[in-house]
Amino acid sequence: MDLIYLDHAATTPFDKEVMNEALPYFLENYGNADSPHALGRKAMGAVDEARDTVAALLSARKNEVYFTSGGTEADNWAVLGGAWAKRREGRTKVLLSAVEHHAVLSCGERLAKEGFTVEYIPVNAGGRVELSALENAIDDDTALVGLMSVNNETGVLQPVREASEIAHAHGALFFTDAVQSAPHIPIRVDELGADMLSFSAHKFYGPKGVGVLYIKNGVKVDKLVAGGEQERGMRGGTVNVPLVVALAKAYEKCRRDMQATNEKLRALSTLFLREISVLDGVHRNGENALPCLLNLRFEGVTNTSFLYNMDLQGVCLAAGSACASASVKPSHVLTAMGLTDEQAKECVRISLGKDNTEAEILRAAQLTVETVNRLRNM
Ligand SMILES: Cc1ncc(COP(=O)(O)O)c(C=O)c1O
């Protein structure tokens, strides 16, 4: 059975062309980028070039780009490292949106155990953070504000620029997790106003296990990974040269094709929604969301049954974020938007990708209609 993959917000397939460009750094050019010999210099040259590429695409400076082991590490580093550094100024409050990824929320839990006051900023029914609540919660004791650029479960775009202005007016650091926006929205750090920004290669057809943390020059952030002097003394560990090369190539390609990809995804998403419109009791969660990420509630159908049945028919999709998909807990994102636990358990995430075809979308929509009807009649 040919599988239909509709879970691109969880991960994307590794682009073969990108993989081939990275392959020499696994094989013949295997040097350690810190070694003082020809192979080391070759490796360092490749890392340098990758850093140049990423910096130029972000409108950042080269020394503001740090390579990490993925989005989770970059998020941990930004939230923990930023809060720890600001504590030395006597600031002990951290404000995070209620709908952040667990890579950020779990840092909030840790900081609370370390004595920080951690508050969660609510979102409205459309999934967008309430800026007035941020205004009310922030004060001159605030170390850091964290607001993701795009939510991974609903695709909702967040008011990052406005939140950064509020944070800066109170002398707090502003961090945005751009893991889900990087594949679809051209990031310009100078326009966003972020002190720190994270993203991850496997969301834009790069490999898993490599990401970026942008740290604006002059912003003090403590180290998270201690060790050698890699990444200008800020992150220990031998640099993963092939993955870094692949990240830069994948991101370059993603940015080059972004407009065309987004247009294709919008058309596929419209087609899917049109085809399933024969069903009653379907609700889309989230306002002002990326077209390619559909969070849908099918009234009267539990998401675990739906997923299981779709999987049996060869369609791969998700109940929420991949990290939480093994848990039966209702999504914290959807309950923060006001859904009841029961309603949240009726929601699924369908995320489209650049290689999906019209035929796949038509088939997936047909199977969705049949499966929802069958489960409702049981
Ligand atoms: C919004 C968001 N942040 C962070 C992560 C974690 O990234 P990684 O899988 O590279 O650790 C993800 C991945 O699902 C994500 O969607």
Side-chain angles (χ1 to χ4, degrees):
M1 172 168 53
D2 282 342
L3 297 179
I4 300 178
Y5 186 74
L6 302 179
D7 199 13
H8 294 83
T11 197
T12 56
F14 191 11
D15 184 309
K16 249 201 192 118
E17 198 181 286
V18 171
M19 188 189 77
N20 283 332
E21 296 200 61
L23 218 48
Y25 297 95
F26 278 111
L27 302 171
E28 59 269 27
N29 298 331
Y30 50 81
N32 183 321
D34 286 321
S35 293
H37 51 58
L39 277 181
R41 282 191 296 277
K42 243 187 194 161
M44 184 50 93
V47 173
D48 255 358
E49 199 184 314
R51 206 184 306 276
D52 274 333
T53 302
V54 172
L57 291 169
L58 296 178
S59 299
R61 293 187 191 86
K62 187 176 182 179
N63 65 355
E64 295 175 320
V65 173
Y66 297 87
F67 294 114
T68 68
S69 66
T72 299
E73 184 197 320
D75 285 359
N76 276 230
W77 186 5
V79 178
L80 298 173
W84 291 335
K86 276 286 189 186
R87 183 165 49 191
R88 283 194 294 281
E89 292 176 20
R91 292 172 179 257
T92 55
K93 192 191 252 191
V94 169
L95 303 176
L96 304 172
S97 92
V99 297
E100 294 298 299
H101 189 271
H102 287 289
V104 168
L105 292 179
S106 56
C107 295
E109 286 164 25
R110 178 164 166 186
L111 290 171
K113 285 190 191 131
E114 293 177 9
F116 283 88
T117 303
V118 182
E119 289 178 21
Y120 298 92
I121 308 301
V123 294
N124 64 19
R128 186 178 153 100
V129 78
E130 299 272 17
L131 288 172
S132 56
L134 175 59
E135 292 266 23
N136 289 338
I138 200 164
D139 57 23
D140 292 348
D141 188 33
T142 306
L144 178 132
V145 174
L147 174 62
M148 67 202 326
S149 297
V150 166
N151 183 266
N152 52 300
E153 292 190 35
T154 59
V156 170
L157 278 66
Q158 298 293 344
V160 169
R161 170 88 225 174
E162 293 87 331
S164 78
E165 282 166 8
I166 295 170
H168 291 150
H170 292 270
L173 291 178
F174 180 75
F175 162 61
T176 188
D177 169 338
V179 171
Q180 295 290 342
S181 68
H184 305 290
I185 298 170
I187 297 170
R188 286 195 60 127
V189 286
D190 50 344
E191 285 174 3
L192 281 179
D195 298 301
M196 294 176 283
L197 174 147
S198 63
F199 62 89
S200 177
H202 74 100
K203 307 290 184 181
F204 47 74
Y205 307 90
K208 293 163 187 63
V210 62
V212 161
L213 181 64
Y214 155 84
I215 306 177
K216 191 180 175 151
N217 275 343
V219 169
K220 289 198 184 66
V221 181
D222 283 9
K223 269 192 222 185
L224 181 70
V225 181
E229 288 301 302
Q230 290 89 357
E231 296 297 282
R232 300 176 300 291
M234 287 294 284
R235 179 189 184 264
T238 302
V239 177
N240 195 329
V241 183
L243 293 200
V244 160
V245 168
L247 176 143
K249 299 274 180 210
Y251 191 47
E252 199 171 25
K253 202 166 168 180
C254 163
R255 288 287 293 262
R256 188 193 66 201
D257 301 341
M258 197 173 267
Q259 201 181 340
T261 304
N262 283 344
E263 276 166 25
K264 174 179 175 178
L265 294 176
R266 183 181 291 277
L268 291 179
S269 154
T270 306
L271 177 65
F272 183 83
L273 290 174
R274 193 189 71 201
E275 291 296 306
I276 65 161
S277 64
V278 292
L279 288 170
D280 293 327
V282 181
H283 310 271
R284 182 167 182 193
N285 298 308
E287 281 160 21
N288 192 24
L290 291 176
C292 59
L293 205 160
L294 300 169
N295 193 305
L296 301 176
R297 177 160 77 88
F298 298 114
E299 273 177 29
V301 179
T302 51
N303 53 17
T304 43
S305 313
F306 180 76
L307 244 68
Y308 177 72
N309 278 274
M310 291 296 276
D311 188 31
L312 283 180
Q313 299 170 98
V315 184
C316 308
L317 37 82
S321 68
C323 325
S325 52
S327 79
V328 285
K329 279 201 284 189
S331 146
H332 70 284
V333 174
L334 299 176
T335 50
M337 289 163 67
L339 273 73
T340 63
D341 286 2
E342 292 319 306
Q343 289 172 332
K345 286 181 183 176
E346 294 175 339
C347 298
V348 299
R349 180 183 73 181
I350 295 166
S351 48
L352 312 178
K354 67 183 173 82
D355 298 326
N356 284 138
T357 62
E358 251 183 52
E360 285 180 331
I361 296 305
L362 289 172
R363 171 100 184 115
Q366 183 200 344
L367 290 170
T368 297
V369 172
E370 288 169 10
T371 305
V372 167
N373 282 332
R374 195 169 59 248
L375 291 172
R376 278 180 179 165
N377 289 330
M378 265 163 72

